[in-house]
Amino acid sequence: MSSNTINLSEGIEKFNLVFTDRDEAVTIEFNPSDTDILMRIEKSRENIEKALAEIPKDETDSAKAVMLAGNIIRQEIDYIFGSKISDKVFMYCSPLALNASGITFAERFLAAVTPHIQSRINDANRASAERIAKHTAKYTKK
């Protein structure tokens, strides 16, 4: 390794997204120390809702609108994770596929992964706070 090389880990973690109907899994990566991911999730939810609302209720141009909405959803999911994961997430199922309750697959995906991401971010924040407290304890008055 050259002396001009610097290695730096972002702390990327992986989790498996299991498609239970198929008993198959794909690996999704994210950075639990990237607290901005929660803001990106919220912003993307708003953008996805807007894209869904713009699909016309009549048949005129609905195929084109559905395709555009699906593309927007894919872009938003990629934006959240900072990488092209939409191909993995929507490998078997369109982001607009509805379940019996009328909830899109994209919405179900976000509802499934957000608590896990939130939990990992909380763990990372707690570990950081403990590390800071340990190093600053000698400077605080007792």
Side-chain angles (χ1 to χ4, degrees):
M1 188 175 308
S2 166
S3 62
N4 293 329
T5 301
I6 299 171
N7 294 318
L8 182 62
S9 172
E10 293 180 70
I12 300 293
E13 289 188 8
K14 299 176 182 183
F15 66 88
N16 288 323
L17 173 63
V18 178
F19 296 94
T20 56
D21 299 340
R22 298 174 185 275
D23 198 28
E24 292 184 38
V26 295
T27 301
I28 305 293
E29 298 175 347
F30 78 105
N31 184 346
S33 60
D34 178 8
T35 54
D36 286 352
I37 195 170
L38 296 175
M39 289 182 279
R40 292 193 303 269
I41 288 172
E42 194 55 41
K43 181 174 176 30
S44 290
R45 279 192 171 139
E46 293 170 11
N47 291 340
I48 289 169
E49 287 175 17
K50 181 180 175 196
L52 293 174
E54 292 177 359
I55 296 174
K57 302 300 179 225
D58 62 7
E59 296 298 316
T60 310
D61 293 329
S62 64
K64 182 179 177 183
V66 167
M67 184 180 76
L68 289 173
N71 288 340
I72 289 169
I73 291 169
R74 289 174 183 275
Q75 290 169 3
E76 292 297 327
I77 297 299
D78 293 342
Y79 166 68
I80 289 170
F81 288 88
S83 65
K84 184 119 175 87
I85 68 158
S86 62
D87 290 344
K88 293 178 183 181
V89 174
F90 305 118
M91 173 185 318
Y92 300 117
C93 193
S94 162
L96 294 171
L98 300 174
N99 67 4
S101 301
I103 302 169
T104 66
F105 187 70
E107 292 170 295
R108 289 181 282 147
F109 167 74
L110 288 174
V113 301
T114 300
H116 175 73
I117 291 170
Q118 179 69 62
S119 172
R120 293 302 301 128
I121 288 172
N122 290 345
D123 292 347
N125 287 343
R126 191 170 21 262
S128 177
E130 289 171 4
R131 184 180 52 77
I132 290 169
K134 176 183 164 188
H135 292 291
T136 60
K138 61 185 171 189
Y139 302 109
T140 58
K141 292 184 179 183
K142 294 184 180 185

